[in-house]
Amino acid sequence: MIEVPLHPVTEATIAKVCGRLITYDGLISPLGDIDATTGRLKNTFTIKNRIVAVKGFTGSTVGPYIIYSLKKRGLAPKALIVEQVDVNAVTSAVISDIPLFKVDKISDIEKLNEEGSALVCIESGKLKPRGALIAIEGVDGAGKTTVSKHLLEIFRKCGFRAIYTYEPYYDSIRKIFENKSMDLTPESEALLLVADRYSHISKVVKRELERGGIVILDRYKYSTIAYQGALGLPLEWLREVQKYLPDPDVAVYLDINPVEGLKRKLKSKERTLTYFENVERIEKAREIYLDMASKGELTLVDASLELPIVVEKVIEVVNGKLGLEIRECSS
Amino acid sequence: MYLNREEERMLSGEMGEAVAKAINVIVKVGEALGAPRLIEVSHAHVSGVSYFNIGDFGLEFIEDLLASKARFSIFTTANPHAALLSYRSRGFDNWVVDKQLKIVDALRQMGVKSFTCTPYYVRKPSHGEHLAWAESSAVLYANSVLGAMTNRETGIVALLSGITGRTYLGEAHIGLPREVRYVVEIEKPEDPSEAGAYGLLVGESLKNSIPLVNGLEDYPEYYLKEFLAAFATGSPTYLAVLHGVTPGYREVDTSSAERLVFSKSDILKLYSEIKGCNSPLYLLGCPHLSFEELTDILGKIEGVGRGELWLTVGEHYGRVVNIESRRNIKISPGGCAVTTRLDLLGVDCVITDSAKALTYLPKLAGVRAFLVRRSELLKMVASVD
């Protein structure tokens, strides 16, 4: 994991601050470079609620007044990081009550943003990539893949580092289910899926999170609880075997009537139902999903609505949970 | 940073929210710049007063300070405002004038004594006195001519120093440097404008270095003022040691300094031919004229035939000079032409004797500018008709 040591210049009033990282390897002159009515830096991204790392401040001493004004209008960054500490940077931070840090080399931080801007936290004198794990759950035909891919596109349009991935991840595991090359029991089925998941998280997902990336996961541990739970396995056991997996930052459950869902699937492609796609089993899985949603483990979104509305609702959930505002780049 | 008991009390909020906020900024700025402690100052001079410069954001900050009951606890002066208060009808929208008036009113309510860029004409600091001044030309004058001590403050720090009576202990407050890297020789200027022209070239050539300057001994103080104002335009430093002028200049070691010579031929390039300037605005008073200069100028000219002559002076002179009978001569007490959008007044070009104004007018006032010697400018003004 890339961790960058930071030196506090003004004492941070908050112990930990997390947000989207904006980097600019140059000097900024707030008067002229920042639009005080929108908080946009050099006509690109807004700095509102961001962790903003720049080489330093320059230009007119009016600069601090502009940062102060942004703060009063709720458009200020969450934290400022500079390579060169000067009077304008310090004054801006102190009068606006924004934590200011010094970094040895701005290029150390820029690396984190090479493939789109990262989600990071500043904690204990370090800038650490945080990333975000977004799990999209739901029964078959709920639109998980479509919604996930829309979400991915929006994140990328907004300049984020983001990937889409799905489970089961490994072909060899998927083939066992498709080819019935092994006599499966509910237990072996669960353990195969969970084994796939541990490897997937460890080798693919974590690596991405450690770079501050956003990982959109099409099915996660809740699928095993719902689907293998529907086969009669005790839910506690399904939770137990998955307890070393990280909790996602956002877990969305796209809810749809299973019959509707399967109709969608059959309509979309000329195909027959796969091993997992059995109405009765899906009905039971849905019950378990709904129960998890009612307990707050998952956030329910009604997936029977038109796709754009579903996507919008998912974005609302993501924004709320991650403290982002990605709607602005969605059009 | 070390704070004494009184400063700790300020920081803790015992003396009110505004004082606590103000000293917090000064402490943080000082810490970031490596200052070991604060220092008591007796006179603050605030920059960033023109509405064209600080805009709504600066106005908002100053009004918030006033609302939080901030008041200056020491003698405080402020830079001139835009030169528009007496020209309300001349082309600025009323809201611009009103916003400028709001800035002036808020600062006045907080205790500003006068609006000028030459605060040493309002209250002359003594040798060794500690100040918190923000106007660069005044900073250089205080340190280099008067032997007072001030950081080259930003507008906000000076504002907050006026409230707290403190600033951070920067190197300017310790005394003259022990040695300098450059000794500059300038050929005798024959006009205050030439002194300014030298100042600009020297400042730009030396970047961040403090020089010792030979050649300005035995000149009227306004030559020094022009030299230093233009020097500060070109250089970010807080001091130029003037041989024969700066108190203590003899103690500065020049034995290993590089010698640089500036002659008349070097400054000639700044005096370009005046072209396409049919109805010029003549400007004298950047930095503001002293009373001596003002009376001298008014003694030499009766009126202006074509164009207009602006004399910018400290607010405090506005009440003592009557120029009603002088055709096309305007005095702007407490006003600054350079930080005024002259283009909005229909002004296209400005003829001035100030090398500082020459640099800033195109950037800040949106006009073309030409440099002439003061003696020539007065002749030009008198001969037009």
Side-chain angles (χ1 to χ4, degrees), chain B residues 320-366:
Chain B
V320 291
V321 180
N322 182 0
I323 49 138
E324 275 174 24
S325 60
R326 312 289 185 100
R327 187 154 70 115
N328 291 343
I329 298 181
K330 292 230 155 61
I331 291 190
S332 176
C336 171
V338 172
T339 57
T340 303
R341 284 286 301 279
L342 297 173
D343 54 339
L344 300 181
L345 293 178
V347 175
D348 165 47
C349 85
V350 175
I351 297 173
T352 180
D353 70 337
S354 162
K356 172 173 179 158
L358 176 75
T359 309
Y360 284 123
L361 279 166
K363 292 181 195 168
L364 301 177

Side-chain angles (χ1 to χ4, degrees), chain A residues 186-204:
Chain A
E187 290 81 0
S188 61
E189 200 178 291
L191 289 173
L192 280 170
L193 291 167
V194 171
D196 173 87
R197 183 163 300 132
Y198 272 106
S199 293
H200 180 217
I201 289 291
S202 159
K203 298 293 168 196
V204 181

Side-chain angles (χ1 to χ4, degrees), chain A residues 11 36 62 68-69 72-73, chain B residues 28 53 57 60-61 64 154:
Chain A
E11 76 232 316
V62 179
Y68 175 81
S69 174
K72 281 191 73 180
R73 283 162 181 74
Chain B
K28 289 289 152 34
N53 184 356
F57 318 113
E60 185 176 9
F61 182 80
D64 285 353
T154 59

Side-chain angles (χ1 to χ4, degrees), chain A residues 1-8 12 14-19 21 51 79 81 101-103 109 112 119-130:
Chain A
M1 186 191 294
I2 306 174
E3 284 190 351
V4 185
L6 299 176
H7 319 282
I14 9 177
K16 180 178 176 180
V17 49
C18 298
L21 180 67
I51 292 175
I81 302 169
F101 301 87
K102 182 187 178 323
V103 65
I109 295 183
L112 278 168
L119 284 181
V120 296
C121 288
I122 299 172
E123 197 179 9
S124 318
K126 280 191 181 116
L127 180 81
K128 301 173 187 172
R130 174 193 187 274

Side-chain angles (χ1 to χ4, degrees), chain A residues 8-265:
Chain A
V9 178
T10 60
E11 76 232 316
T13 46
I14 9 177
K16 180 178 176 180
V17 49
C18 298
R20 178 177 175 183
L21 180 67
I22 298 288
T23 53
Y24 177 66
D25 187 9
L27 301 172
I28 60 160
S29 169
L31 181 67
D33 285 348
I34 299 175
D35 183 335
T37 55
T38 61
R40 280 183 188 282
L41 175 64
K42 290 184 175 285
N43 282 326
T44 55
F45 300 124
T46 173
I47 58 171
K48 177 185 173 181
N49 285 333
R50 307 283 158 85
I51 292 175
V52 177
V54 296
K55 186 143 196 156
F57 278 49
T58 183
S60 160
T61 51
V62 179
Y65 291 139
I66 291 181
I67 305 292
Y68 175 81
S69 174
L70 290 175
K71 178 74 176 188
K72 281 191 73 180
R73 283 162 181 74
L75 297 170
K78 280 183 179 170
L80 285 167
I81 302 169
V82 293
E83 184 181 305
Q84 299 169 3
V85 177
D86 81 318
V87 178
N88 274 344
V90 177
T91 311
S92 299
V94 182
I95 64 173
S96 315
D97 202 16
I98 299 169
L100 173 70
F101 301 87
K102 182 187 178 323
V103 65
D104 294 331
K105 280 199 305 245
I106 183 79
S107 51
D108 293 344
I109 295 183
E110 266 205 318
K111 280 181 201 147
L112 278 168
N113 269 5
E114 269 167 8
E115 289 170 49
S117 65
L119 284 181
V120 296
C121 288
I122 299 172
E123 197 179 9
S124 318
K126 280 191 181 116
L127 180 81
K128 301 173 187 172
R130 174 193 187 274
L133 182 54
I134 301 171
I136 306 292
E137 290 280 359
V139 298
D140 302 76
K144 292 181 298 300
T145 306
T146 312
V147 168
S148 297
K149 289 191 170 167
H150 270 92
L151 205 52
L152 176 76
E153 195 188 326
I154 291 165
F155 270 119
R156 288 191 172 161
K157 249 190 199 166
C158 287
F160 281 90
R161 179 191 181 101
I163 63 159
Y164 161 83
T165 181
Y166 53 86
E167 291 185 347
Y169 179 74
Y170 295 95
D171 281 348
S172 48
I173 299 283
R174 217 172 312 123
K175 275 182 185 144
I176 294 174
F177 289 98
E178 281 165 13
N179 304 342
K180 299 197 174 92
S181 57
M182 178 178 156
D183 294 321
L184 292 172
T185 67
E187 290 81 0
S188 61
E189 200 178 291
L191 289 173
L192 280 170
L193 291 167
V194 171
D196 173 87
R197 183 163 300 132
Y198 272 106
S199 293
H200 180 217
I201 289 291
S202 159
K203 298 293 168 196
V204 181
V205 175
K206 263 196 188 151
R207 199 182 55 199
E208 199 52 35
L209 295 176
E210 283 173 359
R211 290 172 183 169
I214 288 166
V215 179
I216 301 164
L217 202 43
D218 188 343
R219 290 206 183 281
Y220 192 40
K221 55 184 176 179
Y222 311 97
S223 286
T224 306
I225 296 171
Y227 277 79
Q228 276 62 47
L231 294 176
L233 292 179
L235 302 188
E236 307 78 61
W237 181 72
L238 291 168
R239 286 180 191 283
E240 180 66 21
V241 292
Q242 300 194 88
K243 74 176 178 188
Y244 298 116
L245 291 166
D247 284 331
D249 299 280
V250 186
V252 172
Y253 166 57
L254 300 177
D255 182 55
I256 196 161
N257 175 318
V259 178
E260 281 302 310
L262 290 176
K263 267 192 204 159
R264 274 188 190 176
K265 281 219 135 173

Side-chain angles (χ1 to χ4, degrees), chain B residues 93-240:
Chain B
D93 289 337
N94 277 344
W95 64 267
V96 173
V97 180
D98 289 343
K99 296 227 168 155
Q100 179 64 85
L101 280 171
K102 277 184 174 184
I103 295 169
V104 168
D105 286 348
L107 288 170
R108 223 192 282 283
Q109 282 186 61
M110 284 167 66
V112 161
K113 304 285 187 206
S114 184
F115 291 89
T116 179
C117 52
T118 53
Y120 37 89
Y121 294 152
V122 182
R123 177 189 171 279
K124 189 173 172 181
S126 52
H127 178 205
E129 188 176 335
H130 294 279
L131 317 166
W133 284 12
E135 160 57 33
S136 65
S137 66
V139 167
L140 269 287
Y141 192 97
N143 290 330
S144 308
V145 178
L146 305 175
M149 297 170 165
T150 173
N151 302 325
R152 187 161 164 170
E153 309 283 17
T154 59
I156 295 182
V157 170
L159 185 64
L160 304 176
S161 291
I163 295 166
T164 57
R166 300 290 190 287
T167 187
Y168 61 91
L169 186 81
E171 57 184 318
H173 289 279
I174 300 181
L176 293 184
R178 273 181 297 178
E179 57 175 346
V180 289
R181 284 176 56 199
Y182 298 99
V183 170
V184 171
E185 311 280 344
I186 60 169
E187 198 182 331
K188 297 281 174 199
E190 290 170 70
D191 185 280
S193 168
E194 290 187 358
Y198 281 121
L200 189 61
L201 291 188
V202 174
E204 284 176 350
S205 313
L206 299 188
K207 300 280 188 301
N208 203 14
S209 290
I210 296 169
L212 184 136
V213 181
N214 286 318
L216 285 168
E217 307 81 358
D218 309 319
Y219 272 97
E221 67 82 28
Y222 58 90
Y223 276 68
L224 310 179
K225 174 178 68 176
E226 290 292 339
F227 176 84
L228 293 167
F231 174 83
T233 304
S235 161
T237 186
Y238 61 90
L239 172 74

